[in-house]
């Protein structure tokens, strides 16, 4: 094995710079998308006089856009490059979040949300995972985990910051500030730091293996997108994607509202959300290492099982038994890390690198469906029952089903390879 783990002649592999860009994207794109909606539920719905389920439809509008662009994201990357796609997406996303501050009614929220969905998919996890797949042959799980901690670290900082800003300057001006922050951080980072592949810099991926005798690189193998869709693994994997993404988005969007419903004041609820995202950041590193050492199947099973338990703890939580809620919030990151780590790792482990971006884009299409339907359905449960608890029980059942399905997926892969 050649010693190309070294990044360049000075010793630091440039792949870790790509990880840093991913960290920023997860903070200023993904974290903003998931955290801001939750922080804005109460102030926006009260000012506009709308139900929570109507406000939650904003995320559905974004998910519809995400579904559309996900189908073409692989082709877009090939035609325009990942860097140009990310740059356009980040600029669009920043403009959308500033525009929310001008929205006079919920219908304008839906329109802006739709366009923000394009920006998010083009500039966040799909793009970052595609770059990291090119830049890393070893420590892939850890690299993804480290990049994705941006959403957790960002949440720790953003949740109390947003709560303070909403209280002091209102939700509209808060959106103006957010838009400016996204643009100022992401646009220069993408322009200056993103490189399409190691070849662009005359490098090899981190840990790339070559034959000792001839130095010929390992051949890239895997399924095409068309071939992948015809496999039993794909059919069992997709329902897991929908369920997990729906659950992840829902919990991020409704945790603050759920906490205030239980009797926590708004600022305390924001601190709880910060605890959740802090745990997410820490657990991503742990789970990322687990994917690299214990294997994808075991790590995925652990992650989804804990996620199901967290949902059950949510369902039995109350202000009188706040310790149960705190335990659930602290453990959330074990399950929540599945979205940012497992989606990418499983696509590569099951279907290979050959048509990775297109297959991941197709998977993200279904993730967008889950992200779009989860929050409105849970909000509708609250509007009808006056509590989130039936929703948490329902999602926990679906998560246990996902545990079974993910193991069936890997069993099908073993049979397919024979």
């Amino acid at each position: 094995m050649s010693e190309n783990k070294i990044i360049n002649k000075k010793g630091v592999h440039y792949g870790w710079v790509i990880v840093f860009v991913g960290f920023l994207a997860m903070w200023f794109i993904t974290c903003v998308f998931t955290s801001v909606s939750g922080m804005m539920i109460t102030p926006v719905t009260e000012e506009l006089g709308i139900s929570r389920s109507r406000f939650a439809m904003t995320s559905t509008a974004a998910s519809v856009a995400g579904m559309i662009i996900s189908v073409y994201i692989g082709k877009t990357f090939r035609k325009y490059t990942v860097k140009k796609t990310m740059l356009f997406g980040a600029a669009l996303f920043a403009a959308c979040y500033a525009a929310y501050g001008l929205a006079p009614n919920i219908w304008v929220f839906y329109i802006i949300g739709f366009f923000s969905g394009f920006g998010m998919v083009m500039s966040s996890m799909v793009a970052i995972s595609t770059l990291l797949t090119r830049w890393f042959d070893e420590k892939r799980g850890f690299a993804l985990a480290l990049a994705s901690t941006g959403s957790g670290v960002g949440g720790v900082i953003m949740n109390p910051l947003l709560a303070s800003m909403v209280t002091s300057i209102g939700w509209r001006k808060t959106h103006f500030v957010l838009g400016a922050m996204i643009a100022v951080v992401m646009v220069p980072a993408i322009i200056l730091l993103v490189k399409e592949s190691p070849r662009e810099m005359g490098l090899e991926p981190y840990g790339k293996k070559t034959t000792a005798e001839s130095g010929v690189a390992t051949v890239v193998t895997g399924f095409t997108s068309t071939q992948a869709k015809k496999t039993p693994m794909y059919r069992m994997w997709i329902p897991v994607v929908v369920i997990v993404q729906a659950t992840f988005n829902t919990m991020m969007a409704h945790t603050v509202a759920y906490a205030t419903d239980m009797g926590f004041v708004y600022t305390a609820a924001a601190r709880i959300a910060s605890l959740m995202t802090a745990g997410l950041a820490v657990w991503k590193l742990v789970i990322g290492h687990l994917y690299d050492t214990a294997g994808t199947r075991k790590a995925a099973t652990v992650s989804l099982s804990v996620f199901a338990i967290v949902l059950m703890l949510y369902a039995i939580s109350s202000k009188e038994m706040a310790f149960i809620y705190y335990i659930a919030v602290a453990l959330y990151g074990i399950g929540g890390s599945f979205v940012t780590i497992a989606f990418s790792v499983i696509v590569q482990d099951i279907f290979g690198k050959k048509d990775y971006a297109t297959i991941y884009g197709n998977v993200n299409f279904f993730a967008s469906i889950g992200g779009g339907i989860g929050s409105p359905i849970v909000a509708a449960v609250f509007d009808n029952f006056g509590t989130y608890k039936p929703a948490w029980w329902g999602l926990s059942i679906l998560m246990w089903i996902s545990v079974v399905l993910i193991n069936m997926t890997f069993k099908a892969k073993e049979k397919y390879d024979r």
Side-chain angles (χ1 to χ4, degrees), residues 181-210:
M181 289 171 60
I182 296 165
V184 168
V185 172
M186 289 309 304
V187 171
I190 294 169
I191 292 174
L192 298 175
L193 300 178
V194 170
K195 305 295 181 184
E196 289 293 307
S197 68
R199 184 177 301 177
E200 184 178 335
M201 301 182 71
L203 303 172
E204 295 284 1
Y206 183 94
K208 184 174 182 179
K209 297 178 181 179
T210 60

Side-chain angles (χ1 to χ4, degrees), residues 193-393:
L193 300 178
V194 170
K195 305 295 181 184
E196 289 293 307
S197 68
R199 184 177 301 177
E200 184 178 335
M201 301 182 71
L203 303 172
E204 295 284 1
Y206 183 94
K208 184 174 182 179
K209 297 178 181 179
T210 60
T211 58
E213 296 79 13
S214 64
V216 177
T218 305
V219 177
V220 176
T221 60
F223 297 81
T224 65
S225 176
T226 301
Q227 292 170 338
K229 291 177 182 178
K230 296 178 181 178
T231 65
M233 296 86 75
Y234 191 86
R235 292 190 291 271
M236 287 182 279
W237 165 232
I238 293 304
V240 177
V241 171
V242 175
I243 292 169
V244 176
Q245 188 70 62
T247 304
F248 178 83
N249 283 27
T250 295
M251 295 185 76
M252 290 299 292
H254 293 274
T255 286
V256 172
Y258 186 46
T260 56
D261 290 343
M262 284 194 291
F264 292 93
V265 297
Y266 184 71
T267 52
R271 287 194 294 270
I272 290 171
S274 293
L275 173 63
M276 173 185 269
T277 52
L280 184 61
V282 173
W283 283 118
K284 280 178 180 178
L285 295 175
V286 176
I287 297 299
H289 179 69
L290 190 64
Y291 276 95
D292 288 334
T293 55
T296 304
R297 181 176 178 176
K298 290 181 180 179
T301 300
V302 169
S303 186
L304 293 179
S305 298
V306 174
F307 215 173
I309 293 170
V310 166
L311 286 159
M312 295 169 68
L313 293 175
Y314 255 54
I316 63 175
S317 295
S318 65
K319 185 67 180 295
E320 292 71 29
M321 295 191 296
F323 71 95
I324 294 178
Y325 186 52
Y326 289 133
I327 292 172
V329 167
L331 294 177
Y332 166 80
I334 299 177
S337 62
F338 191 90
V339 171
T340 49
I341 302 174
F343 280 13
S344 176
V345 173
I346 289 175
V347 167
Q348 185 172 331
D349 284 357
I350 299 293
F351 304 110
K353 286 187 176 184
K354 187 175 184 178
D355 200 8
Y356 173 86
T358 303
I359 296 173
Y360 192 95
N362 292 335
V363 168
N364 198 68
F365 172 88
F366 290 99
S368 296
I369 293 176
I373 64 177
S375 186
I377 290 174
V378 168
V381 169
F382 175 85
D383 289 341
N384 284 277
F385 293 95
T387 176
Y388 286 105
K389 292 183 183 296
W392 303 140
W393 283 118

